[in-house]
Amino acid sequence: MVKDEEDDYLSSMGLPCTLEVGTTADSQWAATSTWVGFLIWAGCWLRQYSAPDHRIVMYLSVAARPCCSSLIALGSVLAAVVGTERVRISWNEILQLPHGTEIHLLRDVKGAPSPKVRARGRLAEIGSLQGQVVREVILEEPAKLAGSKQLLFPRNLDALRPSRIPYVVGGRATDTLDLAETLEHLHPGFPQAWLFSRKLEALVVTQRSSWFRQLEGLQLRVTPHDRSKGAQQITLGAILVASASSAQSGVRTAVIPPTSIAHQAAAPLTILDGPRSLEVWESIRSPRLVFLLETCELDELILQKLKHIASFGERELPDGHGPIPEAAPPGIEMSVFTLKSV
Amino acid sequence: MMHQISSFPISFAVFSNAGKVAEHEEVLPFPPLAQLRKEVTQWWDLIRDTDDPVIADLRFSLWRLLFSLQLTLLPYDHIALVLTDQLTAIRNLADQTPEVRERLATLDSLVPYLQTHPENPKRARLLELLDEISTDEPVVGLVTGLTRWPLHGSDIDLDGREEFVAPIPSRAVLMSRTFDHIIVPGTSRYCPFQTELFHASRTSNLTMIRFDSEAAHRPRRPTLPRGPSKNVGPRPLAGLIPQQHGGPDTTILDTLVDNGFWTALRRASSSRGESEEPASPDRQHLVRARLVLFANGYWMNLREDRRIIEISRWVDGLEESQSLRGFPRRKVSELEDGHLIVLRTMGSGDYLVDVADGLLKADGLADLRRSSTDWKATLEMALRQHGTGEVARRLRSLGHRISTSSYLWTWTTNHVMRPESEDLFVDLIRVLSSLGYSLGNVDAEQAAIVRWVGMGRVIRYHYRAGAVIRRSLLKRLRSLIAVGCHIETEYQLALEGVDAGELSVLRIAAVDAEAALVPYGTTGTLEKL
């Protein structure tokens, strides 16, 4: 594994870990490079700041567009995780919740450590077992466990991960666990509720099929600066498009083609990925907009359009905005400004 | 089996190249070609009346001779250059052009000189260079798509070095991967993907080999417009050749060729087969079409409303053969150089009709199409005689909504079998009758009903033909892709058990940037350039 020595862009995010993005295809792990770090930084920087009555616009031209919008979206998601208040379901909360409260668990399958299975039950009596306080959960799902009891006590909370919100439906529960572990590295004590909240962090306007194809096999590796903790690796898809249950589910990143944009709600950040997406920019209501284009896609028509939009731009960037690098990595060019909201 | 090429490693390599790209240029002095270029420039200076078809043809023939010799990587006595034929064609055209007739002597000496001294310095340097770099850099891309127009002598023969050379005929192939080294064997002035060649970072080693008589060229790097606040770019790289745009003697040839070529071709395409007809749109079926030029030296007007089967991503190995489930189609306006399209290369281009006719014949209904659609020729006569406006006015007076009278022309084609309703069709035949065009001795309504029913049956055969072609063509294309067949210019397809005439997969060399209104009859047929 190669590690690029220049990861200034990521270190400016103040994360307690190093990030690497790559692919495990053919047993090859491509290391994080400056361009990856810059794009993650760009998404993170944008998501952290807002300008009242204005939208923040970022033009990005890149040597190659595939995977770039995923990395910007990742930056936005990371900023959202880090910026959210700490909320954790604690043992004390479990003791205080009323009898009959619905609760969700992840249980090991007998004889196999993973994948875990989702379980649903209701909080019941508080009692004592071998001298320690326990709380009963009467299970309702899965069906074969219906009516059986699961005891909760401080030492098994990490394994069972009791939650008020259902675990992933249609996905693998272990993905959620991996994601939780990864986010814990990124932001110790991260808000677990965020995992299950319905919160769109980024909208990517591009062709869906090619975007998802580019995401295949892409991994994020998080290595805490605290070497006592091991590195955690997760698919980028699990972070960007992880969904929770049907009721409270959501996706962090929505991907829609330019032709469907009229029906899309505003997201905190929208990435217009490619020339065709640029045509619908006026339909986007997001407070932060990224125009992502390949260098060789900057033809006369597109440049005219970008110049026209920039001509309405204002000099002032958001108050107290974080530092912007003096130079971009090779193959990337960036322009940031604000536009008065209409 | 081909594998789907993952995006991230390509992006990774591209960004990596962006940080360390080095460009080299080797300029080869070669007086015979410098002299030829000077001579051609003087000819061009003398014959400027591009409205004269002989002069337009002569200018293009001269340009093609010069560029065949400048860009070829073959020895100059190679048969593929057809130098004698090229010179003969120029001589014949010059005989009709008094201004230049006297100048033939120079060409008459230069061309035979090259044939008798066949060593091509560019070829020699290219082979040397390949030998120098082949050990360390196993993936060498060789740009073969340096012009939009097919040239004689563009074949690749590298004396056994082909195995580690990846030809780059198109933008799609260039952008699909990265290369250890890319060699540009000539001026990139006319290369349709010149911007990508220099600025898409598909390699970190770009070497240009050109004669001193070829235009120096390095396109401008596209950059973002400067915004009002913060603008950030990469630090400048060393090792790049500065932006350049030719020398003083390039202007005449290099700027006129592009415009002149397309103008001449558009003129030829719109006048073809319609000379005796009035030009009024009311009396002529005009459709929006684009000129598409193929690498095999043919061209075709393709209607803009068509969607064409395009399979370059599969044939060029950018997609797995299994992923070809349906026909990938593109609008004509989306076609570009390097694409591979499937066309019928003999007859009308409409293989559906031919296959349907075969099925009709097998069922003993060989005459059904003719007897059911004979009204189309009658309608065409009426439209030419009276104009679409008159026929549309009469139909409107009978209560029909005809929003665009020019649409009536569409009914004269196989593209649309019949009007959308039986009532409208019956009234159309009545209108034709009122204008003096009757269909046999029966009354108009009866004639219309018989034909309406007949056309319904023909349409059902079209559906059957479509299914037969679809199955067979898909199977044929899949097998073609599975065996890794490389198509440089053209590949003829025989469909097993289907009499669809001659179908071919054709490589596009260029597409006219502008669509034009052309007579319907000039679309869909291949013409030799």
Side-chain angles (χ1 to χ4, degrees), chain B residues 108-121:
Chain B
D108 272 340
S109 64
L110 266 174
V111 175
Y113 174 83
L114 288 167
Q115 286 173 307
T116 50
H117 298 79
E119 187 175 345
N120 177 348

Side-chain angles (χ1 to χ4, degrees), chain A residues 143-341:
Chain A
K144 64 180 180 182
L145 295 178
S148 64
K149 283 182 190 172
Q150 170 70 55
L151 293 182
L152 296 180
F153 46 91
R155 283 216 318 254
N156 70 356
L157 292 192
D158 281 349
L160 290 168
R161 296 190 173 268
S163 162
R164 296 287 305 279
I165 303 163
Y167 278 95
V168 179
V169 169
R172 291 186 313 135
T174 45
D175 280 349
T176 311
L177 279 178
D178 288 344
L179 180 56
E181 294 290 338
T182 307
L183 296 178
E184 188 69 37
H185 283 342
L186 282 165
H187 181 43
F190 88 99
Q192 291 191 5
W194 179 87
L195 268 182
F196 310 107
S197 63
R198 184 181 181 82
K199 186 80 174 74
L200 190 63
E201 303 296 355
L203 172 66
V204 182
V205 183
T206 194
Q207 291 304 316
R208 281 177 62 86
S209 54
S210 57
W211 191 86
F212 280 102
R213 209 164 47 223
Q214 289 161 17
L215 206 57
E216 278 172 19
L218 219 52
Q219 305 268 327
L220 174 69
R221 181 180 293 185
V222 181
T223 310
H225 294 325
D226 177 357
R227 294 288 172 186
S228 65
K229 299 175 184 171
Q232 184 73 26
Q233 195 168 313
I234 189 170
T235 65
L236 215 56
I239 286 195
L240 294 183
V241 291
S243 61
S245 78
S246 52
Q248 286 99 344
S249 75
V251 286
R252 306 288 157 240
T253 308
V255 186
I256 54 166
T259 45
S260 310
I261 199 70
H263 310 291
Q264 194 59 39
L269 167 70
T270 294
I271 304 158
L272 298 158
D273 186 352
R276 285 190 187 174
S277 306
L278 194 143
E279 289 165 19
V280 299
W281 82 275
E282 283 171 297
S283 311
I284 308 287
R285 283 173 291 155
S286 292
R288 304 163 191 91
L289 275 180
V290 178
F291 291 77
L292 178 66
L293 293 153
E294 245 171 48
T295 307
C296 293
E297 288 170 342
L298 296 174
D299 61 22
E300 283 306 314
L301 209 64
I302 286 185
L303 284 172
Q304 265 180 25
K305 209 172 276 187
L306 295 179
K307 275 180 196 161
H308 178 71
I309 297 167
S311 70
F312 296 100
E314 296 182 11
R315 273 193 67 79
E316 296 304 312
L317 287 175
D319 286 341
H321 70 80
I324 295 175
E326 285 307 312
I332 297 185
E333 207 188 341
M334 180 186 80
S335 181
V336 194
F337 56 94
T338 54
L339 270 184
K340 187 125 181 96
S341 300

Side-chain angles (χ1 to χ4, degrees), chain B residues 62-96:
Chain B
L62 286 162
W63 179 86
R64 193 151 67 156
L65 171 71
L66 174 65
F67 273 68
S68 301
L69 289 164
Q70 280 188 167
L71 294 178
T72 188
L73 296 173
L74 299 172
Y76 293 129
D77 59 352
H78 199 286
I79 191 168
L81 278 163
V82 290
L83 282 182
T84 306
D85 290 353
Q86 289 202 64
L87 188 58
T88 305
I90 289 170
R91 212 179 273 136
N92 292 340
L93 289 164
D95 278 344
Q96 305 170 53

Side-chain angles (χ1 to χ4, degrees), chain B residues 501-517:
Chain B
E502 184 185 295
L503 287 173
S504 292
V505 182
L506 294 168
R507 177 82 70 179
I508 293 179
V511 181
D512 193 351
E514 296 171 26
L517 276 177

Side-chain angles (χ1 to χ4, degrees), chain B residues 378 381-382 386 394 429-440:
Chain B
T378 308
M381 278 193 287
H386 300 278
R394 290 183 183 226
I429 301 302
R430 281 196 182 117
V431 167
L432 291 180
S433 178
S434 70
L435 287 168
Y437 299 94
S438 58
L439 299 170

Side-chain angles (χ1 to χ4, degrees), chain A residues 21-23 30-31 33 35 59 61-64 66-68 213-214 218 276 294-296 298 300 303 306-307 310 313-315 317 324-337, chain B residues 4 6-20 175 195-202 220-235 237 313 319 330 334:
Chain A
V21 175
T23 168
S33 190
W35 66 278
Y59 289 169
S61 91
V62 291
C67 305
C68 289
R213 209 164 47 223
Q214 289 161 17
L218 219 52
R276 285 190 187 174
E294 245 171 48
T295 307
C296 293
L298 296 174
E300 283 306 314
L303 284 172
L306 295 179
K307 275 180 196 161
E314 296 182 11
R315 273 193 67 79
L317 287 175
I324 295 175
E326 285 307 312
I332 297 185
E333 207 188 341
M334 180 186 80
S335 181
V336 194
F337 56 94
Chain B
Q4 177 77 41
S6 176
S7 304
F8 188 75
I10 293 179
S11 293
F12 194 86
V14 167
F15 278 103
S16 172
N17 288 337
K20 61 181 186 197
M175 299 299 277
T195 304
E196 288 82 354
L197 201 51
F198 284 88
H199 302 302
S201 307
R202 260 49 193 180
R220 184 185 64 83
R221 180 184 181 80
T223 55
L224 283 175
R226 290 189 67 77
S229 315
K230 186 79 178 171
N231 300 283
V232 175
R235 294 192 171 84
L237 287 174
R313 291 191 62 78
E319 299 272 356
R330 283 182 195 271
E334 291 172 352

Side-chain angles (χ1 to χ4, degrees), chain A residues 33-50:
Chain A
S33 190
T34 49
W35 66 278
V36 172
F38 186 87
L39 295 171
I40 297 174
W41 166 85
C44 185
W45 184 89
L46 273 171
R47 184 71 179 82
Q48 283 173 322
Y49 303 104
S50 57

